C-alpha cells in the first residue's frame, strides 16, 4: 500500500537479495557459541563476549552493536534476539519480496561507502521500484551507518525530510 507512505528511507539495503554479500550466518553462529559463566558483572560479561566474538566479528563497532543485545536474565547472560529463529529463516530475511507496483513517492537509499549492501548493479531495480529514488553514500560508514557516522546520517535524513 504505497499510498500510505509519504516518504521512504532505506538505510544500507537494496531491493535485491543480499545473501551473497552477507556474513550474518557466521555472526549468528559466533553469537550462539558465546559462553559466559554465571556471576559475572555486566561489564565483565560484555568483555568476555567481545573477546569470544572477535575472531569472527572483526570490526569493533559491529561487535559493540551486537553486544547491545546481550542481556542478563535471572543471573544468566543471554541474547535478547531469537538467534535460533533468525538462523533458521536467514534466507527469507536476506531476500527481498517480488513487487511489481512501484512506490512513486520520494525515496532515499542511504548507504555506507564501506558497505556492499547498495551496489551500482542494484540501481536498475531501485529505479524500477522507486522511480524518484535518490541514492547517497555516507563516506567512511559501514553497514551500521547511523552508528558509524551519526552526525552525517542525521544530516542526510533531515535534508530528505520536509521541514516541520
Amino acid at each position: 500500500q504505497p499510498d500510505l507512505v509519504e516518504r521512504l528511507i532505506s538505510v544500507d539495503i537494496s531491493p535485491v537479495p543480499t545473501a551473497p554479500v552477507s556474513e550474518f550466518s557466521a555472526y549468528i553462529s559466533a553469537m550462539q557459541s558465546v559462553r559466559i559463566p554465571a556471576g559475572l558483572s555486566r561489564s565483565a560479561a560484555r568483555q568476555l563476549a567481545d573477546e569470544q566474538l572477535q575472531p569472527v566479528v572483526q570490526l569493533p563497532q559491529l561487535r559493540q552493536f551486537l553486544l547491545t543485545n546481550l542481556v542478563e536474565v535471572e543471573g544468566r547472560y543471554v541474547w535478547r534476539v531469537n538467534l535460533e529463529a533468525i538462523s533458521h529463516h536467514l534466507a527469507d530475511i536476506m531476500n527481498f519480496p517480488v513487487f511489481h507496483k512501484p512506490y512513486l513517492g520520494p525515496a532515499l537509499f542511504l548507504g555506507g561507502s564501506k558497505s556492499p549492501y547498495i551496489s551500482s548493479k542494484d540501481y536498475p531495480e531501485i529505479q524500477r521500484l522507486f522511480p524518484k529514488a535518490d541514492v547517497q553514500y555516507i563516506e567512511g560508514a559501514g553497514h551500521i551507518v547511523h552508528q558509524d557516522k551519526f552526525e552525517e546520517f542525521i544530516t542526510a535524513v533531515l535534508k530528505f525530510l520536509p521541514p516541520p
Side-chain angles (χ1 to χ4, degrees), residues 117-131:
Y117 289 97
I118 300 177
S119 163
S120 59
K121 70 178 186 290
D122 303 336
Y123 293 175
E125 188 65 359
I126 291 172
Q127 203 61 49
R128 182 182 78 79
L129 290 171
F130 306 92

Side-chain angles (χ1 to χ4, degrees), residues 3-114:
D3 53 315
L4 297 178
V5 178
E6 181 183 324
R7 290 173 176 264
L8 180 139
I9 300 174
S10 174
V11 180
D12 208 50
I13 198 72
S14 288
V16 297
T18 56
V21 295
S22 174
E23 292 129 347
F24 289 159
S25 181
Y27 297 162
I28 291 166
S29 294
M31 291 169 74
Q32 288 174 318
S33 69
V34 167
R35 298 291 176 252
I36 301 171
L40 289 183
S41 68
R42 183 167 193 241
S43 61
R46 284 180 63 108
Q47 177 65 35
L48 183 58
D50 185 52
E51 291 168 5
Q52 291 178 42
L53 291 173
Q54 188 172 5
V56 176
V57 185
Q58 294 166 354
L59 288 172
Q61 309 94 304
L62 182 53
R63 283 197 313 277
Q64 291 307 307
F65 179 74
L66 294 176
L67 287 169
T68 64
N69 289 289
L70 186 65
V71 295
E72 185 179 3
V73 176
E74 298 176 6
R76 302 181 18 238
Y77 286 92
V78 297
W79 296 104
R80 177 187 345 244
V81 294
N82 186 339
L83 295 175
E84 188 71 22
I86 293 170
S87 67
H88 287 334
H89 299 282
L90 192 58
D92 296 324
I93 294 167
M94 302 306 288
N95 278 326
F96 192 85
V98 175
F99 288 102
H100 300 290
K101 184 177 179 184
Y103 171 71
L104 300 176
L108 173 63
F109 282 77
L110 187 58
S113 68
K114 296 168 128 184

